[in-house]
Amino acid sequence: MAAQQRYRVTERIEAGGMAEVFKGEAISVQGFRKQVAIKRVLPHLAQNKSFIAMFLDEARLGARLSHANIVSVFDIGSADNTYFIVMEYVDGCNLRTMFEQHQKAKKTIPLKEAIYIIIEVCKGLSFAHELQDENGRELGIVHRDISPANILISKRGEVKITDFGLAKAATQLEKTDPGVIKGKFSYLSPEAARGEPVDARADVFAVGIVLWEMLAGRKLFLGQSDYETIKLVQQAVVPSLSQINPQVDIELERIINRALAKDLSQRFQSARELGDALTNYLFSKKLKVSSFDVANLVKWTIEQKRLEKFALKKPELSAIDPAIQEELARFTSIENIAHAVLVEPSPPSSSGGAGSFENLAAWFAED
């Protein structure tokens, strides 16, 4: 290892079509080591200006978002024509894994723990939505990709939002084209599914979906195709949760249905408002819940995942390419990431690569 190397990867955590995430170490000149997560743009996307602009937006916003319920961004850099974001490492699982393990065990996430997790998500979103610039003007940040995969939960029961890669702030250079959807289809708001501009209430709707699904044990909006899923989101018909899960009373169902209101004026107007309503509900029902209870769920989830992996004899993720270690040895920080100048985004290509997004106008032109 080179004497000047600041970061070293130790394990691949996730590998997707656009980026891969590694567990790694930050190494100081005094030899101090700290666990970090390192997100790396895949080489074939490094020249995609639109994707890199969005990737740098994530880092720039992440540098501003210093909150207990948001994954911190420590550094951003480049090496050999690719980009890295160095982030806080959350030792635990994401909510998607917790949800899936409960599904396999044919049970739902316990009610009070589910509510607690969502309250913590609302705290993080409220901070991001209300963040102001140096002149006291709200930045207008909207996450736009709230989903179980982007909610991380540590072994100590800490809940943190990650991946602000699709977030839009008024100050961003990377703009969203009218009529273009970004985000996971099953967690879009009706207005986003129609290709309309969105605000913080779109995140409130997505949070409502996540809570509904945790308590129902199944997806809320899921069609046979992306087109069908978009249609279901646009219609926003929400089945009675109290009939699916008897533990959900009318009062809680009313709160969830308000978060999932199709009419923007009827929906909770902020994450703060939704979080406050759920907190009041817990107090009114005298339901005791804390991070300790959530930590027990994480412990159970990790153990179930371990047993599943052992039973299925799943292969380990592929070995770390030595070239990645060499890239990190040449890691150069992009200075002052909170105000980083973004590359000029190129028009989305028609080849379906990163930077290509679905245009709603074309989908529903004949409707």
Side-chain angles (χ1 to χ4, degrees), residues 3 17 26 31 50 77 80 92 112 134-135 146 170 174 191 201 212 217 249 308 314 326 332 337-338 342 345 354:
S50 180
D80 298 343
K112 59 189 179 73
E134 294 78 4
N135 298 315
I146 292 295
E174 197 274 320
E191 60 273 17
R201 292 172 293 183
W212 191 97
D249 61 20
E308 178 185 70
K314 287 187 175 180
E326 294 175 7
T332 302
I337 63 174
L342 306 186

Side-chain angles (χ1 to χ4, degrees), residues 265-282:
S265 66
Q266 299 300 312
R267 195 181 305 166
F268 284 108
Q269 297 300 290
S270 67
R272 177 187 292 270
E273 191 179 0
L274 171 57
D276 190 55
L278 291 171
T279 302
N280 285 334
Y281 176 81
L282 288 178

Side-chain angles (χ1 to χ4, degrees), residues 125-142:
L125 282 177
S126 177
F127 175 84
H129 292 162
E130 299 169 10
L131 191 65
Q132 298 178 342
D133 65 14
E134 294 78 4
N135 298 315
R137 293 188 297 261
E138 287 195 359
L139 293 175
I141 296 173
V142 184

